[in-house]
Amino acid sequence: MTERDVVATAEAVMALMEADGFADVVDMVAPSLRELVAAESLRDSWQELTTTHGSVVQIGTPSTEPAGADHTLVKIGVTCERGAYAVLMVIDRSGRLHGLQFAPPGAAEPTQPWEPPPYVDSSAFTEHEVSVGETPWATSGTLSLPQSPSPGPAVVLLPGSGPSDRDVTMGRNKIFRDLAWGLASHGIAVLRFDKVTYVHRDTLDARTFTAFDEYVRPAVAAVHLLREHPRVDGNRIFVLGHSQGGMMAPRVAAAEPSVAGLVVLAGATEPMHRSLLRQVRYLATAHKPAADPEADPTVQTITRQVALIDDPNLSPSTPDHLLPLGVPAQYWLDLRGYDPVAVAAQLDLPMLIMQGGRDYQVTVTEDLLGWQNGLADRDNVTIRVYPADDHLFFSGSGPSTPAGYEPAQHVDEAVVGDIARWISGTTL
């Protein structure tokens, strides 16, 4: 699909919404996500915008930019009688919708280039392209290498759920480049790499692909790559995981005995499917506190899907479309049998567990509590909470929402500094 075709698809979606064709818009959503989108909810959001800003006066020219290996982000500015807003769509190369969001008008502007955070010293390190893993699942990565001539500690970065590039690019923000450059400025080598699901999503067998394949195999390969590098101390290689990557970090260390320690950033301890349900319930009332989340169509759909995952009769033959995000049953079966806290408790490794106080995706009261209860008797486990930080460790105030991830910002400097000091001070 050409860029012109993508733009034409986005324009068709806009025309349908103006004509009250929300059921037709839902039909354009990717099959794996269709059950999560209700025509009534789209209509309610559109009518709320019309009530607030007045009738549409002008629809701007769409702009496009990459949103992953096979997806395009389309931004459209909408001018109304009393205000303006932006419509953001993610469209795959077959013309299916993977995202539709109404945002403040500034979101329609072209994404500005990422700029290094002030805590980065670009002269303190160099960067080198590497290949992680073996064919057919090898992916490209970047090694940020401090200028020090003597071998030093190193970190492998593991991102959260879903396809993502090595920087975990989200609009104008790149949280893994923040971390890599920030830690390298402190003399710590960092290896980050594109996820298998980002590079090979069209060739991997989704029916048999598991979280072990997504995280453990490439992470172990990354550790081995670092152990062979002359500027890396092979006895001081750490694994740092964020979100689902943090949840999977203990599993990586259990599979690779040479790992020296773990850094867990917003690592979930609640099962992933239940965490997803908790998130959609939160978002259902984020802008309407008095609303009943159980009346929300998305909450109802996810509730049914989560019940299937908890059902002892879940099997690899369970249809994908009945499960959350259209992810096949084998993936959920693999995750269902994994307890990150129990695995972590069996590891005789130092761990640093970090949590944002404003995080609604991985929370202090549910997920951090799991780490605290399971590792309470360990004197080599450090737990730190950053009250002002959200799930991406961006500092702010007030309740966190997805819109809070959009402005240009950087990972909290205190988080980067604490990781660097902890790694530098960890003795084995």
Side-chain angles (χ1 to χ4, degrees):
M1 172 173 276
T2 66
E3 182 176 329
R4 180 177 296 180
D5 294 331
V6 171
V7 168
T9 298
E11 291 175 334
V13 172
M14 292 298 300
L16 285 170
M17 290 194 293
E18 284 194 283
D20 196 32
F22 294 98
D24 293 327
V25 173
V26 172
D27 287 340
M28 298 175 70
V29 174
S32 62
L33 302 174
R34 197 170 293 155
E35 289 196 39
L36 301 179
V37 184
E40 296 80 5
S41 297
L42 286 177
R43 181 181 289 109
D44 288 347
S45 297
W46 182 268
Q47 290 176 346
E48 183 177 346
L49 288 167
T50 301
T51 300
T52 302
H53 300 297
S55 299
V56 174
V57 174
Q58 182 181 12
I59 295 177
T61 301
S63 64
T64 64
E65 58 189 64
D70 304 309
H71 295 71
T72 301
L73 172 64
V74 183
K75 302 178 177 182
I76 302 175
V78 180
T79 303
C80 304
E81 294 172 325
R82 298 187 299 275
Y85 57 90
V87 180
L88 310 180
M89 304 180 209
V90 177
I91 300 173
D92 68 20
R93 60 186 179 187
S94 65
R96 293 296 189 183
L97 275 172
H98 285 252
L100 174 59
Q101 179 183 357
F102 302 112
E109 298 296 322
T111 299
Q112 297 301 310
W114 177 87
E115 294 183 359
Y119 49 76
V120 163
D121 178 2
S122 300
S123 67
F125 61 92
T126 56
E127 292 207 307
H128 310 270
E129 286 291 300
V130 297
S131 178
V132 176
E134 298 180 355
T135 304
W137 288 354
T139 66
S140 297
T142 301
L143 174 60
S144 302
L145 200 60
Q147 296 284 15
S148 172
S150 57
V155 177
V156 172
L157 301 187
L158 300 181
S161 60
S164 65
D165 66 13
R166 70 195 72 181
D167 294 328
V168 189
T169 301
M170 298 181 183
R172 68 198 78 186
N173 298 313
K174 298 176 181 289
I175 64 169
F176 268 22
R177 193 182 292 184
D178 287 351
L179 286 168
W181 287 27
L183 294 174
S185 297
H186 285 275
I188 299 167
V190 182
L191 176 56
R192 64 195 194 275
F193 52 92
D194 300 330
K195 287 186 73 173
V196 171
T197 49
Y198 179 82
V199 178
H200 300 297
R201 74 168 76 192
D202 290 337
T203 57
L204 59 83
D205 183 357
R207 301 295 309 171
T208 60
F209 190 74
T210 66
F212 184 91
D213 301 319
E214 185 177 16
Y215 283 96
V216 180
R217 292 185 192 278
V220 169
V223 171
H224 290 174
L225 187 154
L226 287 174
R227 282 178 60 83
E228 295 172 1
H229 200 287
R231 298 260 298 277
V232 170
D233 181 346
N235 295 317
R236 301 185 68 201
I237 298 174
F238 297 79
V239 171
L240 183 158
H242 172 253
S243 195
Q244 189 182 359
M247 182 185 76
M248 294 296 293
R251 196 170 179 185
V252 173
E256 177 49 59
S258 68
V259 171
L262 301 179
V263 181
V264 177
L265 274 66
T269 59
E270 285 273 290
M272 186 173 167
H273 57 293
R274 294 180 201 158
S275 176
L276 175 62
L277 178 56
R278 186 182 68 217
Q279 291 176 47
V280 296
R281 282 176 173 154
Y282 172 90
L283 293 174
T285 60
H287 299 294
K288 298 177 181 178
D292 176 11
E294 304 310 317
D296 183 89
T298 301
V299 172
Q300 294 172 352
T301 298
I302 295 293
T303 299
R304 291 194 301 270
Q305 295 174 337
V306 164
L308 280 178
I309 295 176
D310 285 329
D311 190 329
N313 294 319
L314 177 69
S315 75
S317 63
T318 303
D320 302 353
H321 73 274
L322 298 179
L323 300 171
L325 308 177
V327 174
Q330 190 61 50
Y331 192 94
W332 294 110
L333 286 166
D334 178 52
L335 277 184
R336 196 175 72 173
Y338 170 60
D339 181 342
V341 177
V343 173
Q346 297 300 313
L347 300 171
D348 186 20
L349 290 176
M351 301 179 200
L352 173 62
I353 298 171
M354 313 176 89
Q355 175 69 44
R358 295 173 53 245
D359 189 345
Y360 73 87
Q361 295 179 246
V362 174
T363 68
V364 171
T365 52
E366 286 92 358
D367 297 285
L368 184 64
L369 185 63
W371 296 113
Q372 291 170 325
N373 289 341
L375 304 173
D377 60 344
R378 294 279 295 275
D379 57 8
N380 61 347
V381 174
T382 302
I383 296 178
R384 291 190 177 143
V385 178
Y386 301 81
D389 290 358
D390 62 18
H391 187 61
L392 303 184
F393 290 88
F394 295 156
S395 294
S397 60
S400 175
T401 67
Y405 304 155
E406 292 173 8
Q409 53 201 310
H410 294 292
V411 172
D412 187 348
E413 181 175 4
V415 170
V416 176
D418 285 348
I419 296 171
R421 283 185 287 272
W422 182 83
I423 290 175
S424 298
T426 297
T427 55
L428 305 179

